[in-house]
Structures are given as C-alpha cells and as structure tokens.
Amino acid sequence: MMDEKSPPPAMVESLVSKPVQEVVANSSNQVPERYIYKGEDGSIDASFPLLEVPVIDILRLLNSSSDDDELLKLRSALASCGCFQAINHGMESSFLDKVREIAKQFFLLPIEEKHKYSRTVEDLQGYGNDSVLSEHQILDWTDRLYLIVSPEDQRKLKFWPQNPECFREILHDYTTKLAMLNELVLKSMAKSLNLEENCFLNQYGERATMFARFNFYPPCPRPDRTLGLKPHADGSAITCLLQDKEVEGLQILKDGQWFRVPIIPHALLINVGDQAEIMSNGMFKSPVHRVVTNSERERITLAVFCMPESNNEIEPVEGLIDEKRPRLYKSMKDYGNIYFQNYQQGKRPIDAAKL
Ligand SMILES: O=C(O)CCC(=O)C(=O)O
Ligand SMILES: [Fe+2]
C-alpha cells in the first residue's frame, strides 16, 4: 500500500536537477554520489567492440525500384541493429558543422544566460536535465536543451535561444530538411517490406510531431561509474542523430552485448524508435542504447525525434500480420505520454504496448 503521504511516482516530479556544467564548476573533480553506479554491475566499460552500422545511400533510396539492393540493405539493417548511417542525404558537411556550432555556442554561454531558457518543473521543454523522482535515482551526466519543433504552432519560442543569433534559423532549416528525410525513410521502409509506400506515413496524421534534443556531456572524472545517458530505446518513430564529430560515446545493445557506434562525420545516424517497431509489428527493432562518458573531452550531439501526431492511433500495419506472424502490439494513442510515464518509473515503455 502506498503511504498516504507519498504521492504516486509520476506525480512527485519535484526537483529539476542542477545542470551538470554547474556541478562540475563547483565540485573540484569529484563526482557527486547521485551520478554514481555502485556495486559489481556498476562498472562501465567503454571498450566494447565497434558495431558495423550499415551505411545507406539516401540518393539511391530516392530513386529505388522495389528490388533495389539499397532497400534490402535498409530492411536488414533495421531488422537487425535497428539503425543505419545515412549518407548522401543532401546536407553539406559545412551545414552540419553549423548545426554543431550553434549547439556548442549555446552550451558555452555563461550559466546565467543559459538559465533564461531553463525548463520549469511543469515544462518538458527548455534547458535542464533529469527530473528527480526519488532520492535513489541515479542521474545522467548530461545537460540538455529540449524543444518542440513541429507542429510549428506548438513551438515555445521563449525556450529557443537568441544567442547565438542564428540559432533559431539554423535549427528551423535543419529540421525542415530532416522532415523530408524522415518521409523518405518511412516510405523506403514500407517499400522494403513490399508494402504500399504510405502505410507508415498514413499513421502520422496531418500534424506530425518533431522534438529536438541537444545533448551536452561534460568530461567526467569517473567514466567507469557514470553514464551520460542511461539505457533506453527512443519513444519516436524515427530518430535522426547528429553525432559529435570527434568524440565517441554512444553504445547500442545487440544480442545482449554492448557495441560502440562509430562516428562518420558527414553522416546522420538514423534509428528506429518504439513507434516504428509497433507500426511494423516488430519487423523493425527499436534498439536499446546508452551513452558513456570520458574524462578528457566534452561531447555534443543533437537528436531529433520524429513521430505521429499524438491524437492519431498507431498500430501494426495489416500487411505485416498473418498466421505466422501474429499481431504483437495494441492500437494506441499518445504513445509519447505512455513512454514518458514508463520511462520515469524505470520501465521499458514498449512493454505497455504489447498484447
Ligand atoms: O548522444 C547520443 O549519442 C545519444 C542521445 C540519445 O540517445 C537521445 O537523446 O535519446
Ligand atoms: Fe536515445
């Protein structure tokens, strides 16, 4: 029975923890207890093998016929590791560098300046990090800036930095290009399964949602006991990750083992999220991943989460259900919210969608 005095976990969202950059500034090379994984299982290894993430040529997907090798490659990539490195996506390397630069400039701003964009307890959007739900929660060694990008009328511009000056314009340009890439990837995913090309996109609705999350991982004095981001799978349909150009840190769980994800500076790492796993009736895998820290260098990434409008019902497409492959997931609305509630309680959210 729940103690009368303690409200259920989802309601206790109480504190917004301090930015790690501030913890670092005040802690003379010590990592506070709240970030430390303890015991035998707490030891974190950054030296796992590199994953051979398939490289997919987007230009070839654009012109592909249904038996194109590139589609086969896409299908096998998403069914095995759940991700691929997209090249020839139409964005110049110099443009990707500009996107990286606005992220860096923002996190380099003085603390007081960044606090103008701080999220409050009620808000998901803004500058900040983990919500603290219990005193036992182990915190991630990362600071974030989280923004709704689409639908445009849901943008809260008070959280969109005006410094650097070009921040808003570049984020807008970048995400406009990603919306097109997302559409092409979803069509190609359908074609690769011999389905009508709009069968996944039809579940998006008119007002598809896009969130941007800028992640900043400061150097950490205890990389063996601290995680930049705890293991999770994304709640999106598709995530596009712009990795740091030089500093590794992302790891993916495949067949029960962690693998490092290599950096290709001009590529975008695209991964399946839970909603595409649901729509594809489990044909495509939403991979569990985490971020490790290092003691030498900061790491900056930008994840953009693309997903159906929250009022739209999503479900496994008909063509992927038969006697040999029974339906695995329920129909559901507002998966984003279900995701958030489960994630905060340390559960794997997609389990709530299983039949
Ligand atoms: O920073 C990274 O490499 C991964 C970020 C991530 O997984 C996320 O933001 O969901
Ligand atoms: Fe993620």
Side-chain angles (χ1 to χ4, degrees):
M1 274 278 289
M2 194 156 304
D3 176 346
E4 261 195 290
K5 282 187 213 116
S6 56
M11 294 171 67
V12 221
E13 213 253 312
S14 45
L15 293 159
V16 176
S17 61
K18 220 187 207 182
V20 178
Q21 274 184 299
E22 286 174 39
V23 172
V24 172
N26 300 330
S27 70
S28 64
N29 229 21
Q30 293 284 319
V31 176
E33 285 286 302
R34 311 234 29 194
Y35 295 89
I36 298 277
Y37 286 81
K38 301 198 183 77
E40 283 288 298
D41 298 338
S43 182
I44 295 151
D45 192 342
S47 65
F48 289 111
L50 265 186
L51 185 64
E52 275 189 41
V53 178
V55 176
I56 303 267
D57 184 335
I58 296 296
L59 205 55
R60 271 190 68 180
L61 285 187
L62 194 59
N63 301 315
S64 62
S65 57
S66 58
D67 59 349
D68 199 296
D69 284 351
E70 213 63 8
L71 282 178
L72 291 178
K73 206 160 129 190
L74 176 73
R75 173 177 171 161
S76 104
L78 298 185
S80 58
C81 59
C83 63
F84 66 90
Q85 305 264 21
I87 57 162
N88 269 336
H89 42 58
M91 286 180 252
E92 298 282 341
S93 290
S94 56
F95 179 66
L96 297 183
D97 285 345
K98 278 190 191 159
V99 179
R100 291 184 174 106
E101 194 55 32
I102 56 165
K104 184 168 177 180
Q105 295 288 329
F106 173 74
F107 287 112
L108 276 178
L109 292 175
I111 286 169
E112 317 79 67
E113 179 73 16
K114 285 195 292 267
H115 273 310
K116 290 187 189 159
Y117 307 100
S118 286
R119 79 172 181 90
T120 57
V121 171
E122 302 87 55
D123 248 309
L124 196 63
Q125 294 187 71
Y127 169 63
N129 51 25
D130 284 335
S131 304
V132 184
L133 295 175
S134 93
E135 42 186 292
H136 305 296
Q137 182 179 334
I138 301 177
L139 302 180
D140 292 335
W141 192 260
T142 183
D143 294 333
R144 318 179 173 117
L145 175 66
Y146 198 40
L147 301 170
I148 294 184
V149 173
S150 305
E152 280 194 37
D153 58 17
Q154 290 195 11
R155 290 183 183 180
K156 286 199 180 165
L157 287 180
K158 66 174 183 185
F159 294 120
W160 287 52
Q162 281 177 301
N163 189 353
E165 220 172 292
C166 56
F167 185 100
R168 294 176 174 191
E169 186 189 333
I170 290 188
L171 180 59
H172 177 82
D173 285 355
Y174 178 62
T175 50
T176 304
K177 293 186 168 98
L178 284 189
M180 291 190 286
L181 182 60
N182 173 56
E183 194 173 314
L184 174 67
V185 169
L186 281 159
K187 284 186 177 172
S188 306
M189 281 161 61
K191 277 164 76 180
S192 80
L193 295 166
N194 299 316
L195 298 168
E196 196 282 307
E197 69 172 6
N198 288 313
C199 69
F200 296 131
L201 268 177
N202 288 342
Q203 300 198 31
Y204 263 58
E206 295 289 300
R207 289 165 60 78
T209 307
M210 203 184 241
F211 290 96
R213 183 154 95 180
F214 294 85
N215 299 302
F216 180 86
Y217 308 93
C220 177
R222 291 300 307 271
D224 58 327
R225 290 275 165 193
T226 311
L227 280 175
L229 192 51
K230 60 175 88 48
H232 68 282
D234 293 341
S236 57
I238 297 290
T239 304
C240 302
L241 181 73
L242 181 63
Q243 289 214 76
D244 194 290
K245 231 172 138 172
E246 291 170 359
V247 186
E248 256 185 38
L250 179 61
Q251 297 187 341
I252 286 190
L253 192 65
K254 182 170 181 279
D255 305 325
Q257 172 170 0
W258 289 108
F259 287 88
R260 285 151 52 218
V261 174
I263 297 171
I264 304 182
H266 58 280
L268 293 167
L269 183 78
I270 299 196
N271 70 268
V272 171
D274 289 354
Q275 298 195 54
E277 178 166 328
I278 294 170
M279 293 191 285
S280 70
N281 200 29
M283 287 295 286
F284 296 138
K285 300 281 180 310
S286 168
V288 171
H289 51 284
R290 68 178 188 180
V291 176
V292 298
T293 60
N294 78 82
S295 58
E296 307 287 320
R297 300 185 64 184
E298 65 194 31
R299 177 170 183 269
I300 301 178
T301 64
L302 169 56
V304 175
F305 306 100
C306 306
M307 66 198 92
E309 123 175 32
S310 60
N311 289 329
N312 255 39
E313 195 146 64
I314 61 156
E315 61 187 9
V317 300
E318 278 293 318
L320 295 173
I321 304 171
D322 60 25
E323 274 153 34
K324 278 199 239 120
R325 195 174 180 85
R327 180 177 173 147
L328 297 175
Y329 302 101
K330 300 177 203 161
S331 305
M332 29 194 8
K333 272 190 185 169
D334 202 4
Y335 183 77
N337 195 30
I338 295 165
Y339 179 90
F340 192 62
Q341 299 294 334
N342 281 275
Y343 178 77
Q344 290 210 315
Q345 293 171 38
K347 296 184 192 154
R348 176 99 207 255
I350 202 168
D351 289 342
K354 289 196 173 132
L355 277 170

